[in-house]
Amino acid sequence: MEKSSKRWRFVILLVVLGTCLAFLRPTINWYFKTSEADQKLALMSLEKIKEYSVQQAAKDVKALEADVAANPGAELGEKYAWLSKSVKKNFKQYKKSIPEPLTLGASLSSFSLGRVAKTDDEKKNVASSIHQRLLELRQEYYREKVLADKRNYTNSVKLGLDLSGGMNIIVHADLDAAVKANQQSVAASGGETLFKERAMEQAIETLKSRIDRFGLTEPVIRQQGEDRVYIEIPGAEQSDAINTIIMGKGILNFRLVDEEETNKFLQYYYSNPDATFDENGKLLDPSVIPEGLEVLGYYTKDSYGLDEFIQYMVVKKEVALDGRYVKSADVSRDQMGQTGVDFTLDSEGAEIFANFTGDHVGERLCVISDNKIKSAATIKTKIAGGQVRIDGFGLEEAQNLQKVLQTAWLEVPLSVESQQVIGAELGEQTIRAGLMALCIGLIAIFAFMLLFYKGAGINAIVAQILNLYILFAVLSAFNLTLTLPSIAGMILTVGMAVDANVIIFERIKEELKLGKSRGAAIDAGFDGAFWAIMDSNITTFIAAMFLSQLGTGSIQGFAVSLAIGVASSVFTALFVSRLMFDVGTEAFKRKTTSISWRVK
């Protein structure tokens, strides 16, 4: 029974170590397997990543086509390995044997299998189609690589601003002003508390959208307290742009599409693509559309999660329905399996919408957010009762529109409350100082444990290493940020973990002095030390939890790392160290214990 218990403890330890490795993998990949150049790419905004992928793909495809033109019989080598999988798939799809060796010319021709081009125009269309497919394949390669690195960063232990440099901002959302300006919406949304929660969601979503759109690096944006938003922008000083970003306002409304003017404008635009808009997106000749209309872009979400431009539409400036009348929005599927968005209007909005849709059956109504058309659906019949459904979306598009409808319908006044810029050079010095302190502390403790407790000191050293391993794994699992106070918490944890080992070893020594055998002394030592260790660590853990909940900033970082460290140190001292002693007793048949210079 006892041997079975030890086997289970060993299995539990392996499971814990394996789980920690899985949690640490993104951190290991990001800091040790991702080059500095790739890290810079991954930290760019999604729009910059897309721009980079498109440019690199165009460059690579151009080089490929040049190589094919120069020597179509050349073998498809390592340089174009990214093409090999798709080429083989093309041959298999049309049940053709794969040429040996696979040449550049045969590789490109595989994309035209099943298509017969006789005229020059048809041949041009085929060549254009092949070119476009190659661009898509190569862009997919770059996109997935950079986004994979970005996911590793998102799921890794991040360095705080005091370690990495950058800027932090605290933004105040004036919820009271939003409540006063939207009294009717407050009542319709279920009360002031729920209204404020939605207002904060809107503020955070707006900031996330704008900061990424302005091309800033990967931001950390989270709610702080009831009415504040904490923003960290690592690695770059963006103080000039941040006020412009924050002071913008998101507006959602419903407007009609003017189909006739849209067709006229598109004809004009395709004839004059370089002479229609200025560098700011304004019409160079406003007279191309009548008064009371404006040109907006229609966007859907692309594979990067960004708004992708589809085409221009001419819409009426007159607002059919303002977003403030929307009470709720949900994604659902109809009986045919089509995904759509259902939203509910308040009583006033329901009446306005019913009258409007009744007067404009057969026309297209678009949803506009931040001057972008997010959807454009045809009004099939008068929509009464305030229950509205918009069809024709993929799941991701529907979820995006739901978020727009739920959060972008009210305006929350935002203001910068505090702003601090930290240089990266200071961060590097801080990292070196913190790591040096941690290393010196560990080396000193390891030396003391080996000199004072001899062979048993090895158990303590292994327990300390595993303690730090588990600590970093938990930080990575919860995407927590490593700051200088967090490192201080780790150093304190190391000291407390050694204290637990000292208590255990001293109890074992006392039992050995009484003449007990190795196994009996170890059992009695751990049993006697258990509650002394638990009492001291439980009180420390409670204090750390209170600090993590009541404290902010650096205090919170210290408390969180201390709380995690306390829990992991108890596990390694009582579980891992005990298992190592038991393995020595049973597997290696040791009769004596190397734990003191005086006691055998």
Side-chain angles (χ1 to χ4, degrees), residues 338-364:
Q338 286 188 323
T339 303
V341 179
D342 300 295
F343 61 93
T344 304
L345 302 171
D346 62 22
S347 57
E348 184 181 353
E351 183 179 353
I352 294 172
F353 201 65
N355 293 333
F356 183 85
T357 52
D359 294 337
H360 297 279
V361 173
E363 299 182 54
R364 274 202 295 175

Side-chain angles (χ1 to χ4, degrees), residues 82 141 221 287 311 527:
W82 56 270
Y141 166 80
I221 304 174
S287 65
Q311 69 167 72
D527 291 342

Side-chain angles (χ1 to χ4, degrees), residues 526-538:
F526 273 93
D527 291 342
F530 180 83
W531 284 113
I533 293 171
M534 291 300 293
D535 287 344
S536 62
N537 281 281
I538 286 173

